[in-house]
Amino acid sequence: MTLKRFVVMVLLAGLTAACSPRGMISYLPLPAAAGEELVRVFVATNRNSFKHDDVELVRQQFGDRRSDVLRFGQIDISIPPVHELGQIEWPGHATPDPQRHFVTRNGQAYETQAAFLRDVRAEQGDSKELLLFVHGFNVNVSESIYRLAQLSYDYDSDMPAIAYSWASAGDPRGYVYDRDSVIFSRDGLEEVLTLFANDRWNIHLVAHSMGSQLVMETLRQMSISGKQRVLKRIETLALISPDIDEDVFVQQASRIDPFPEQTVLMVSSKDRALGLSAWLTGTPRRLGSIADQDLLGDLPVEVIDLSDIEGGDRTGHSTAFTAPVAIRLLRRLQNATLSALTP
């Protein structure tokens, strides 16, 4: 093992130690108890599964292998009465307890896209708006689903919540594998965006970390291939701690037409995970740590700097999800934006 590889392994172990044991779905198919609140998460994934049925869906039988066939599902997550803003109350090594932990109450797989769309429509609120979340590096399928449930609940969203769970290795050693999976997963994300655009949904697209690279690559290829009608359905685009090279982002954005008018970058100079990513790629910083907005030229992008926000995860990489102060701030901004978009 080379010295550089050894150092990388030590750094990655330090950044991910707080996540151990890894998040796993706890399936308790019982009626919700007093004080629990259910959040329904819809799932589109290009992860390969061992079987395709409801039981396998809710027991996390979707791994890190890539599939060229999208699979669709739905999971009901119970939020415990003791939930704290910004947290996912994982059971860890304890016995899952719906009064103290996130647990899964129900789930189903869909054999057809039509059935999937039917149930998404059933969750429709006053307007046809949906939240599509694209996770980042080193995330397994249950972590992507539970994170969206927490995000949807904490941000008090009434939109149907859809997780695009791409084939991350879910392993801190899998950085290169995940970067290759981003390229592989572009067509799947395009298929999901097209599915909802054809059904005339207004899409609020949120991506975290390496998921931002996936989103930008997908929007770029759709623009080049003439999918402007689909791109027009993207109402807002939020890139949180984007793990993208600054020059690459500017070039990607220059080819996306129309570029989403409501585009936000959430950045932090204290993001340790992006600091490691920059070191690995031999660059001074990543887009999610940008300090000089002039580097973005005249792109219609709003930059929100979360560097001074206290609390949240210790790496500073998920502040927008995990720091209560940031959640309250961004929730106000979100509500103001949605109000401005309402006819």
Side-chain angles (χ1 to χ4, degrees):
M1 177 182 290
T2 65
L3 176 60
K4 182 173 182 178
R5 180 172 173 78
F6 174 75
V7 172
V8 170
M9 291 299 296
V10 171
L11 288 171
L12 285 171
L15 288 174
T16 59
C19 299
S20 182
R22 295 304 298 260
M24 296 287 289
I25 285 176
S26 301
Y27 182 38
L28 299 178
L30 302 171
E36 293 180 63
E37 295 194 49
L38 293 181
V39 174
R40 176 160 292 178
V41 173
F42 294 92
V43 185
T45 183
N46 70 344
R47 296 175 186 262
N48 225 337
S49 65
F50 303 110
K51 294 182 180 180
H52 185 43
D53 57 40
D54 298 346
V55 173
E56 301 305 323
L57 176 72
V58 299
R59 290 184 178 170
Q60 196 194 329
Q61 295 303 311
F62 288 90
D64 61 347
R65 298 298 95 186
R66 306 167 184 136
S67 171
D68 56 4
V69 176
L70 283 182
R71 293 175 171 84
F72 299 89
Q74 170 239 100
I75 293 184
D76 291 333
I77 310 297
S78 171
I79 312 296
V82 298
H83 172 66
E84 296 182 8
L85 200 66
Q87 299 298 310
I88 299 176
E89 284 83 9
W90 295 102
H93 295 297
T95 301
D97 178 357
Q99 292 296 302
R100 297 189 298 125
H101 307 128
F102 276 52
V103 298
T104 294
R105 288 306 202 181
N106 188 34
Q108 71 175 91
Y110 296 102
E111 294 297 330
T112 66
Q113 291 186 359
F116 173 70
L117 273 177
R118 178 199 65 218
D119 281 3
V120 174
R121 291 191 201 109
E123 297 296 310
Q124 181 179 336
D126 295 334
S127 57
K128 207 167 185 181
E129 316 277 335
L130 64 79
L131 171 65
L132 177 57
F133 176 66
V134 182
H135 65 78
F137 159 67
N138 183 26
V139 173
N140 65 36
V141 67
S142 56
E143 290 164 345
S144 68
I145 293 168
Y146 276 39
R147 176 61 71 192
L148 178 52
Q150 176 255 318
L151 187 156
S152 182
Y153 183 82
D154 283 351
Y155 277 85
D156 196 24
S157 173
D158 61 357
M159 294 182 283
I162 292 88
Y164 180 62
S165 188
W166 55 277
S168 164
D171 188 320
R173 299 166 298 179
Y175 190 79
V176 174
Y177 180 88
D178 279 14
R179 290 185 69 168
D180 288 342
S181 282
V182 160
I183 302 303
F184 180 88
S185 301
R186 293 173 300 182
D187 291 350
L189 180 56
E190 178 177 339
E191 184 177 338
V192 173
L193 289 168
T194 302
L195 176 68
F196 287 118
N198 287 344
D199 203 43
R200 304 187 65 79
W201 286 88
N202 299 318
I203 302 166
H204 299 272
L205 185 54
V206 177
H208 180 231
S209 187
M210 195 181 287
S212 301
Q213 180 79 279
L214 170 54
V215 164
M216 291 299 293
E217 280 292 298
T218 302
L219 300 186
R220 180 180 183 273
Q221 80 172 23
M222 292 174 69
S223 180
I224 292 172
S225 60
K227 299 289 182 64
Q228 277 67 32
R229 182 182 56 80
V230 177
L231 293 174
K232 289 177 181 178
R233 304 303 304 191
I234 300 175
E235 290 277 5
T236 59
L237 171 62
L239 304 181
I240 301 171
S241 306
D243 187 2
I244 309 176
D245 181 274
E246 296 165 355
D247 294 336
V248 171
F249 173 76
V250 171
Q251 186 179 66
Q252 290 168 326
S254 70
R255 298 302 302 271
I256 299 172
D257 182 23
F259 193 81
E261 292 184 7
Q262 299 284 337
T263 297
V264 175
L265 301 182
M266 299 184 196
V267 305
S268 172
S269 61
K270 298 178 181 178
D271 190 324
R272 294 171 59 202
L274 289 185
L276 175 57
S277 175
W279 183 76
L280 285 170
T281 55
T283 56
R285 65 190 161 268
R286 305 296 279 170
L287 180 65
S289 300
I290 192 170
D292 184 2
Q293 190 171 343
D294 290 341
L295 296 173
L296 302 179
D298 59 356
L299 290 175
V301 172
E302 179 181 1
V303 177
I304 298 177
D305 191 342
L306 302 177
S307 300
D308 295 330
I309 298 292
E310 298 294 333
D313 72 304
R314 67 194 185 97
T315 70
H317 192 51
S318 300
T319 300
F321 304 146
T322 59
V325 173
I327 292 171
R328 294 187 185 100
L329 167 66
L330 296 172
R331 190 164 56 194
R332 289 196 297 270
L333 294 175
Q334 166 198 272
N335 292 337
T337 299
L338 290 175
S339 296
L341 293 172
T342 302

